[in-house]
Amino acid sequence: QSFGARDTSRDNPRSSLGAMIDTADALAWLDQHHLTCDVIAVSLLLATFYRNWLWRVVVIGMAHAALYCLPGGSTASYLFPTMSVVPHFVHVALTIAIFIIPPLRLFPIFREQPETGCVFVTGADSGMGEATVLLFSKLGYEVIYAGCFLEASFDALKTKVRSAGGDATKVVPVKLDVTSDDSVAAAAASVKADIAARKPSTGLVGVINCAGMGFNGPAEFFPMEMYQRQMDVNFFGYVRVTQQFMPLIRDATSKPGARRGRCVYIGTGGGILSPGPPLLTAYMASKWAIEAFCRSMRVEMQLRELPIDCCMVNPGFVKPTMLMSEGLKLNAKMWDACAKKLGTNQAQSEYGGLLEKFIQYSAQQPGTHVSEVAKAMAKVMGASRPYSSYKVGPDSAAAPIVGSLPVTVSEWIVKKSMYGTVGEV
């Protein structure tokens, strides 16, 4: 007032009285419900300690138990009818909040890794590998080494990078055949020499394994050489790349202040919890094998206290990729190999109809766009401590749920949804 300000409370005494009443009501409400508020605040704080869903389920259970046991909780209302019951919407809202609240970034373990250093991507000729290169060329990583099976893919890939708005100067195609020890060793040597020449701020911080193929066919007739080829690409190929490039990752991550390294592998569906689809014995065996490798190596890195994380990216049906078109060609080769092995067309006559149903089912699935897999790769590379597995697509998220059901129920769902029949039990 000494500066000429007007005291409006004197003009309107009701406003001052209303403020006092509102404050009194608020204090009375807090006095009555402060324990409920304390439970909610502590529960949300505990939820931010870990990203693990099991931990958050435990927190939800403890929160609801505490709310029920408080004076005014549902259990207490039977003993003290005059006390108010905690509304159901509070329980529902708290459950949702605990699930979605992000972890506290105050802890170093939850701080994202910087987009720095170099990344090596296999299978960059097409599909998921190509999409990953296209996305990473727009990010902050200094060099993207693109492992390509065909040299004809080199210029085509750079053209696609420019068309997508990426920086083609950061993309370095590298000839790579993951089934060849010599080719993988030569690729690792080439990347090592290029890093030494470029002298980036950080060396190789990630290897993303996207190279892959998929055979279909009946287990009892499937040619052994095709089983071996499937494992050589999807399993041994990943192991070759990992072993050859690990020295580069260890060197880059051992420098003072360096970010953590990553070894990422493409799996399938819901991972090892998925049900086993018929006619995919070779493909599923290779994918479950690399997941076992990844999970074991992940723990080895932890026991050795090495700042390198291994994790899976498990997509469901992904489109567009070359798996469908190339798969049809591989199916023709598979039937020819079966006929040559048996001397008859028994394999195709008995299982051809089932394989056609699977092909039709695959074609009808809308699938997840291949760019979503690339986004998952970026999330893995940027995570402070990545999950052991990332699911891409709704079918991938649903697969482990189906696989965790009783076996007869899980098998019935797979047979009925994919083949339209359940057969004999």
Side-chain angles (χ1 to χ4, degrees):
Q1 291 177 340
S2 61
F3 289 93
R6 185 176 180 181
D7 187 358
T8 57
S9 63
R10 294 182 180 180
D11 296 339
N12 189 5
R14 290 185 179 181
S15 63
S16 178
L17 178 61
M20 288 189 294
I21 292 175
D22 291 343
T23 303
D25 289 344
L27 292 175
W29 187 91
L30 288 174
D31 184 62
Q32 182 181 2
H33 299 286
H34 71 92
L35 290 178
T36 301
C37 295
D38 291 343
V39 169
I40 293 174
V42 171
S43 300
L44 293 176
L45 179 62
L46 289 174
T48 62
F49 285 178
Y50 300 102
R51 296 174 302 176
N52 185 280
W53 294 118
L54 178 59
W55 166 251
R56 299 204 171 194
V57 169
V58 171
V59 172
I60 289 171
M62 293 190 300
H64 292 319
L67 288 176
Y68 279 122
C69 293
L70 287 176
S74 298
T75 303
S77 64
Y78 292 104
L79 301 177
F80 308 98
T82 59
M83 293 185 177
S84 62
V85 178
V86 176
H88 292 299
F89 79 85
V90 173
H91 291 274
V92 174
L94 180 58
T95 299
I96 296 173
I98 290 175
F99 265 120
I100 67 175
I101 190 170
L104 283 176
R105 300 295 178 183
L106 299 176
F107 303 109
I109 193 173
F110 292 130
R111 294 174 187 166
E112 293 187 354
Q113 298 293 303
E115 294 178 355
T116 186
C118 310
V119 179
F120 183 76
V121 182
T122 73
D125 298 84
S126 63
M128 292 175 279
E130 178 187 273
T132 300
V133 172
L134 295 182
L135 176 60
F136 277 52
S137 67
K138 305 175 187 178
L139 303 180
Y141 300 100
E142 297 168 70
V143 186
I144 313 300
Y145 296 102
C148 297
F149 181 72
L150 302 173
E151 291 187 4
S153 301
F154 289 9
D155 293 336
L157 179 61
K158 288 208 166 197
T159 300
K160 291 180 180 179
V161 168
R162 284 188 286 267
S163 299
D167 185 355
T169 63
K170 298 198 303 185
V171 177
V172 179
V174 179
K175 184 72 171 69
L176 179 70
D177 177 2
V178 298
T179 67
S180 167
D181 292 337
D182 292 339
S183 177
V184 176
S190 174
V191 170
K192 181 179 180 179
D194 191 76
I195 290 176
R198 290 175 181 263
K199 293 182 173 57
S201 61
T202 307
L204 189 70
V205 298
V207 171
I208 300 177
N209 291 275
C210 295
M213 62 178 300
F215 278 121
N216 307 317
E220 62 175 318
F221 300 124
F222 200 79
M224 187 58 64
E225 60 269 18
M226 287 190 168
Y227 272 121
Q228 293 170 339
R229 175 66 178 175
Q230 181 75 85
M231 296 297 292
D232 208 15
V233 175
N234 289 10
F235 176 63
F236 293 118
Y238 287 13
V239 176
R240 285 188 187 94
V241 171
T242 300
Q243 291 184 343
Q244 286 291 339
F245 283 86
M246 268 297 290
L248 298 179
I249 301 178
R250 291 184 65 161
D251 179 66
T253 56
S254 63
K255 298 174 182 177
R259 57 153 290 162
R260 297 181 66 85
R262 297 286 187 271
C263 290
V264 191
Y265 307 91
I266 283 287
T268 189
I272 56 176
L273 290 179
S274 300
L279 303 179
L280 294 178
T281 55
Y283 179 76
M284 296 303 295
S286 68
K287 290 302 183 181
W288 286 348
I290 195 57
E291 183 144 359
F293 173 86
C294 174
R295 294 180 68 169
S296 294
M297 183 176 172
R298 177 185 177 92
V299 179
E300 290 175 10
M301 297 296 101
Q302 294 169 1
L303 292 174
R304 287 282 297 113
E305 299 183 4
L306 296 176
I308 301 171
D309 304 297
C310 303
C311 56
M312 300 294 301
V313 171
N314 290 318
F317 281 99
V318 175
K319 297 179 180 180
T321 66
M322 295 181 65
L323 286 177
M324 179 63 72
S325 59
E326 291 299 316
L328 295 176
K329 298 177 183 178
L330 293 176
N331 289 341
K333 292 181 179 179
M334 181 271 300
W335 290 132
D336 290 342
C338 288
K340 182 178 180 181
K341 173 184 177 182
L342 299 173
T344 68
N345 290 324
Q346 179 185 357
Q348 188 168 5
S349 63
E350 292 184 6
Y351 289 94
L354 288 176
L355 185 56
E356 287 300 321
K357 288 184 178 180
F358 174 73
I359 294 172
Q360 183 179 6
Y361 171 81
S362 301
Q364 292 174 345
Q365 299 307 302
T368 301
H369 195 270
V370 68
S371 62
E372 295 301 316
V373 177
K375 293 176 183 177
M377 295 299 185
K379 183 183 294 185
V380 171
M381 289 296 301
S384 54
R385 298 292 191 279
Y387 299 131
S388 62
S389 174
Y390 289 76
K391 308 297 187 291
V392 182
D395 47 350
S396 176
I401 299 175
V402 176
S404 300
L405 295 173
V407 173
T408 53
V409 176
S410 175
E411 291 176 344
W412 186 91
I413 293 174
V414 170
K415 291 182 290 186
K416 192 66 176 177
S417 62
M418 298 178 69
Y419 297 92
T421 183
V422 297
E424 293 292 332
V425 180

